[in-house]
Every structure is written in structure tokens, then in C-alpha cells.
Amino acid sequence: MLIAEPVILTADAVEGDEIRRWLLDHVADFTGENHDEPKGLP
């Protein structure tokens, strides 16, 4: 989040909506919910 914070803070309304949508779509990646096994790096 520290890396993304400046982008989030300077995003316009459209970009902010896209960022929020992406975060909501990927919440399990950050919380570990709904993951049977840890994901490996690509």
C-alpha cells in the first residue's frame, strides 16, 4: 500500500473507481481469505 498510496491519492475520479474495483476484486490476495494454498510468485 505504501507504494500505491501516492497513485491512489492523486487519482482522478475514473482512476479512483478503477483502483477501488481492482482492490475489491483482489481483497483475498491481501487477506488470505478463500485460499487453500499460498500462491507462488509467477
Side-chain angles (χ1 to χ4, degrees):
M1 282 305 287
L2 291 176
I3 294 170
E5 185 177 20
V7 174
I8 294 167
L9 293 175
T10 59
D12 64 24
V14 173
E15 293 167 332
D17 288 344
E18 290 176 13
I19 292 167
R20 278 187 286 282
R21 195 169 325 133
W22 187 91
L23 288 170
L24 288 172
D25 289 346
H26 294 89
V27 68
D29 295 338
F30 299 104
T31 63
E33 295 177 18
N34 300 323
H35 287 277
D36 295 334
E37 298 178 19
K39 287 185 175 182
L41 295 176

